[in-house]
Amino acid sequence: QVHLVESGGGLVQPGGSLRLSCAASGVTFSINDMAWYRQAPGKERELVARITSGSITDYGDSVKGRFTISRDNFRHTVNLQMNSLQLEDTAVYFCNAQGLTLVRESFDSWGQGTQVTVSS
């Protein structure tokens, strides 16, 4: 069972920055894509950023140029650097990881979420 733990959320003023981190633990064979999603009140969960095991990245249109996703394959961590934060970025941010266990079963795991609030 792959367990994801996020950290780094909090309250920030518009224009500020935050860095989210997510650590994966558990016995795995490989972790392929890692991603950050977010869900604002009354809205559907949406993709913020995704990164493959080969560090190919993909971003949601609303965060392009402001957010940067990165990962450490050795430590099984993924980070999200968020700059120029806007009120609309307020949401619960979830870490996601997909891969294979040691018995070659696929997994699709989610973290518990971390709150990011952008407010003046």
Side-chain angles (χ1 to χ4, degrees):
Q1 187 74 14
V2 178
H3 186 55
L4 302 177
V5 177
E6 301 109 333
S7 61
L11 174 64
V12 64
Q13 293 184 341
S17 298
L18 278 177
R19 182 178 177 86
L20 303 183
S21 296
C22 173
S25 62
V27 181
T28 64
F29 176 72
S30 65
I31 299 179
N32 299 327
D33 290 0
M34 301 187 81
W36 289 94
Y37 287 76
R38 68 186 182 187
Q39 187 165 19
K43 294 188 177 181
E44 294 185 353
R45 189 172 296 189
E46 63 173 356
L47 174 69
V48 176
R50 179 190 293 116
I51 185 167
T52 69
S53 57
S55 295
I56 296 173
T57 59
D58 180 34
Y59 294 92
D61 288 341
S62 62
V63 307
K64 286 180 180 177
R66 300 188 298 122
F67 291 10
T68 302
I69 190 170
S70 60
R71 67 187 283 175
D72 183 327
N73 290 330
F74 180 76
R75 293 181 173 86
H76 299 321
T77 59
V78 61
N79 300 306
L80 184 68
Q81 178 66 40
M82 305 185 294
N83 298 329
S84 301
L85 282 161
Q86 304 169 355
L87 298 176
E88 302 76 44
D89 296 317
T90 296
V92 178
Y93 285 69
F94 297 90
C95 178
N96 173 260
Q98 300 175 9
L100 294 174
T101 68
L102 284 181
V103 295
R104 305 303 192 266
E105 291 179 345
S106 61
F107 67 85
D108 184 353
S109 295
W110 293 86
Q112 80 287 355
T114 185
Q115 177 69 47
V116 172
T117 301
V118 184
S119 176
S120 56

